[in-house]
Amino acid sequence: AVVDGVCGIDTITLFDASEFSVKIAGEVKDFDPTTVMDKKEVKKADRFIQLGIKAALEAMIDSGYVTQEDKKVDASIADRFGMISGSGIGGLSTIERNSIVCETKGSRKVSPFFIPSSLANMLSGFISIEHNLRGPSLAHVTASAASPHALNDAVKTIMIGGADRILVVGAESAICAAGVAGFYLLSEQAMILRVLAVLVGFALAVVVAWKTEPGQRFFAFANEAVIEAKKVVWPTRKETVQTTAAVFA
C-alpha cells in the first residue's frame, strides 16, 4: 500500500469488530499462505509466521541468494548464513482461539499444533529450514522494539565473527479480538481513570529515575543548572526594550 501510495488502513475483516469502539486496522489483504507454504503446513503456523515466511522469501529473492524455483541458499555459504526474527507478541490469534476452545469445549479439543504454531521463535525455525540457513537462528520478542533489536543483534553477530550473512525478518499478526481489546482497553475507560493511569505512570517514572544512577546524575545536573541560572543578572524590561530598539534602529 505504501509503495503504491494507497492507505493501508481499512475496516477490520479478520474478526467481527462490531462491538469494539475501534473498527479499523492495517491488515495484509488477500494473503494466501499456500503461495509460500505447503497446504498441510499452513495449519501448523500462526498467521504471523506465514507473513514472515512470505517477507523472507521476497527479501531472499531480491538479494539474489535464492529464486522462486530454488529456495535453498548455496551449500557453500549456508553454514555461516544466520536468521534472526523479531515479533512483538508471537501467535496471539492462535493463543486466543485455543484458549476459547479450551474454555468452551474442553482441553481435549485444543489443537496439537497450538504451542508450536504460536511460539515467536518458530518464525526463525521455519525460515531457516525453508532457505537452508544453518548459521545462528535467534528470535527477539520485545514488543515494538523487536525488529530493531533483531537488526542490532545481527550486526553485532557479524561483527564478532558469528556469521557472514544474516537474514532479519520482523512479522506480526495481532489483529484479533484479544489484541484490539488489549491495546484499546484504556481508551474506553472513564476520563478520570485514564488521567490517573498517566499520573501513576509519571510518578513511577520519577521514582525509578530518582533511584537509578543515570537518573541521579540527571537531577544533579538539573540542580546545578538552576543554581547557575540564578547567578545570571537578567536585564530589566526597560533595558530589554532599549537594546531591542537599538538593534532594529
Side-chain angles (χ1 to χ4, degrees), residues 22 29 33 43 73 94 103 137 162 170 174 194 229:
V22 176
K29 298 293 184 65
K43 64 181 180 180
V73 301
T94 296
E103 178 68 22
S137 180
R194 283 183 275 169

Side-chain angles (χ1 to χ4, degrees), residues 55-70:
L57 177 60
E58 292 183 357
M60 292 296 279
I61 292 176
D62 288 345
S63 64
Y65 285 114
V66 304
T67 64
Q68 186 69 49
E69 295 72 29
D70 183 9

Side-chain angles (χ1 to χ4, degrees), residues 16-50:
D16 182 8
S18 59
E19 296 183 1
F20 290 78
S21 60
V22 176
K23 297 179 175 59
I24 59 173
E27 298 178 350
V28 177
K29 298 293 184 65
D30 304 320
F31 173 65
D32 181 5
T34 60
T35 59
V36 291
M37 300 179 69
D38 184 89
K39 190 174 182 178
K40 294 180 180 180
E41 295 294 317
V42 170
K43 64 181 180 180
K44 301 178 183 178
D46 183 86
R47 181 178 167 86
F48 92 96
I49 295 177
Q50 299 166 5

Side-chain angles (χ1 to χ4, degrees), residues 22 55 65 83 103 113 125 128 143 150 152 162-163 178 186 188-189 216 225 247:
V22 176
Y65 285 114
M83 164 65 209
E103 178 68 22
F113 303 114
S128 295
N152 183 60
L186 185 61
E188 296 184 351
Q189 302 304 309
Q216 291 173 352
V247 170

Side-chain angles (χ1 to χ4, degrees), residues 150-169:
L151 284 168
N152 183 60
D153 198 6
V155 171
K156 290 193 293 185
T157 301
I158 293 174
M159 288 177 64
I160 64 176
D164 295 330
R165 304 167 182 83
I166 295 180
L167 171 64
V168 178
V169 176

Side-chain angles (χ1 to χ4, degrees), residues 206-225:
V206 171
V207 171
V208 171
W210 184 260
K211 294 295 184 179
T212 60
E213 183 180 347
Q216 291 173 352
R217 289 202 304 268
F218 169 78
F219 285 119
F221 176 80
N223 185 53
E224 291 176 1

